[in-house]
Structures are given as C-alpha cells and as structure tokens.
Amino acid sequence: MEILGVLLGVALLLGLGVVVLVVIGLVKAARAVGEKVERQEAKARRAVENVTLKAKSYTQTGPQGQISAVRLGLRTSLDGTRRVLEGAVGQDGQLGEALALLGRLDAHAAELDGELRMLEREPDAGRVAAKLPELRERAERITHSAETMRWAAQDRMHRFAADELGRLSRECEDEAGALRHWDTVSGAPGAGTAAGASGTGTAARASGTASAAGDSAGAGGGAGGGAGAAREAAGARRGLTDGRGGRPSAEELLGLADPVAKLAQRLRKPTTGPSAG
C-alpha cells in the first residue's frame, strides 16, 4: 500500500508539472500574439495617420497645413532612418549605438508631435502663429540629426561594399593567374627542351661535317681511308633514339666494328716494296 501511495504521489506531481508547463507555454504564446497584434495595429494606425497628414498638407492652407507638413516630414525622416539602421545592424554591430541614439531622438520627436497635435486644435490663430516657428525649428533639428545618421550609415555600407568588391576582384584575378600557371610552368620547360635538342642536333651535324671535311683533306690521295674515318666518326656519334642512325649493324652488336675498320685501313695502305724506290 505504501508503494502504491508513493507511485500515485509521483504521478500527481508529474501531472501537475505538465499542467504548469502547458499553462506557462499558453501564457507566453498569448503574450507573443498580443504583442504582434499590437505592433501590427500600431503600424496600421501610423500608416493611416501618415496618409491623413499628407492629405491635410496638400488640401489645407495656412497654419493648419504647415503643421501637418511639419509632422509628416518628422515622421518620414525618422521612419526612413530606422529602416536603414535596423536593416544594416545585423551586418554591422557598430550601428547598434546609432540605433539607440535614434530611439532617444524618437522620444523627443514623439513629444514634439504631441505639441504639434495640440497646436492643430488651438483655436487662437495668434498663438498658433507664435508657437509654430519654434516647433518647426525643433522639428528641423530632429530631422537633421536623423538624416545625418541615415546618410552616415548609407555611406558606411557603400564603403564596405566597395572594399569587399575590391578584395573580391583581386582574389578573382589571383585565381585566374593561378589557373593560367600551367601555361608558363609546363610550356616553358618544353620549349627549352625542344630548343636544346634542336641546338644539339645542329651542333652535331656541323661537327660531323667539319670532321668529314678534315678527314678528306688530310688523306690527300686516300679517299677510301677518309670515307672510312668519316663513317667511323659518324658511328661513334650516332645515338640510339636520335632517328639518324637507323638500325645497328651486326658488327656493332657484336662489338667488332673497330677491329674491322682497322683491318680495312691496313688493307687500303699502299705497299712499300723495292720497286717504290
């Protein structure tokens, strides 16, 4: 029985906790909905007031129309500045201080708007004419302060955007240069190798020609010996893959090229006998 009572107590406590959490959630949800409705209502009321003031500034003449124009200009300037600051404060945290200053400025504007509203209902035209210049001067100061912060925030955003675009352009140019790096790195060594091979081939051919001419001139009357020496020199310079040597002979493969050439030279030498004298 005691265990059953403990279990029932725990179940009641859990149920009570769930009920409390549900009630708290409903209260918070209702409060959030109420605040949202109030904000939407305030926006709608303000929009209606702005339209009414604009209509009065265009249709009414005299002090009443001037008061409506002052109130409309004050609201328009503050609303424009607030939109700019709230839209950019997420990207630039330093605009939070400017937004706080705008809140204080908006409080002064609200007091001034209340005074202007009372002045609209003032039946004494003399008092209206006496108070209107002072109130207009205060409205101009508030408007100028709001416009100064709005223009500074816009210039700041434009400057940051221009700097970011400049950095992005430089990065794109660097990346393009890196992508073209293969043209200078792989192309230049290939060109140098080709030029070196061409120069080597030209020098080899020139050396072969000079050696052949020298051998022919030194032989005098032994044309066969000069041709054999030229063939020997050409065989020594011929490479395996230069495309000029063709296939190696059997003597070259067996290592008998030099002995055969020497034997041919000895056979071609004139014999010096008794009749030579």
Side-chain angles (χ1 to χ4, degrees), residues 26-235:
L26 291 175
V27 170
K28 289 184 176 180
R31 186 176 300 173
V33 171
E35 292 178 355
K36 186 175 182 180
V37 170
E38 289 179 0
R39 287 196 299 269
Q40 295 296 331
E41 183 180 358
K43 290 181 179 179
R45 184 172 59 252
R46 191 174 184 86
V48 172
E49 290 177 355
N50 292 339
V51 172
T52 303
L53 290 174
K54 185 178 292 185
K56 288 181 179 181
S57 63
Y58 286 130
T59 58
Q60 294 181 351
T61 58
Q64 301 298 326
Q66 295 177 7
I67 293 174
S68 298
V70 171
R71 292 182 62 193
L72 180 63
L74 191 63
R75 290 168 177 247
T76 303
S77 179
L78 290 173
D79 290 342
T81 304
R82 184 174 295 278
R83 284 194 299 269
V84 171
L85 295 180
E86 289 180 351
V89 70
Q91 301 176 354
D92 190 357
Q94 293 186 1
L95 295 179
E97 185 176 355
L99 195 59
L101 291 176
L102 182 64
R104 295 169 56 186
L105 196 64
D106 198 2
H108 287 280
E111 295 177 0
L112 179 60
D113 187 73
E115 295 181 13
L116 290 170
R117 189 184 299 110
M118 289 188 297
L119 193 62
E120 280 183 329
R121 304 187 184 95
E122 178 62 42
D124 189 357
R127 181 171 177 78
V128 173
K131 293 289 294 183
L132 184 57
E134 178 187 353
L135 298 180
R136 183 187 289 116
E137 192 270 337
R138 287 173 57 188
E140 290 177 353
R141 290 173 58 187
I142 295 174
T143 301
H144 177 70
S145 299
E147 289 177 348
T148 300
M149 286 193 297
R150 182 174 70 250
W151 295 337
Q154 291 174 349
D155 294 341
R156 183 181 180 87
M157 289 187 295
H158 293 334
R159 180 61 182 272
F160 284 170
D163 293 342
E164 180 65 24
L165 180 59
R167 287 193 296 269
L168 182 59
S169 299
R170 290 191 295 272
E171 290 177 2
C172 291
E173 292 177 358
D174 294 339
E175 183 64 21
L179 292 175
R180 292 191 181 93
H181 191 59
W182 63 270
D183 193 11
T184 58
V185 171
S186 63
T193 304
S198 177
T200 303
T202 303
R205 287 194 296 271
S207 177
T209 304
S211 298
D215 292 341
S216 299
R231 285 195 300 270
E232 182 181 358

Side-chain angles (χ1 to χ4, degrees), residues 194-259:
S198 177
T200 303
T202 303
R205 287 194 296 271
S207 177
T209 304
S211 298
D215 292 341
S216 299
R231 285 195 300 270
E232 182 181 358
R237 290 191 300 270
R238 187 168 58 236
L240 181 63
T241 59
D242 58 358
R244 295 183 296 106
R247 294 182 179 180
S249 62
E251 293 84 355
E252 292 175 348
L253 292 175
L254 296 176
L256 300 177
D258 292 340

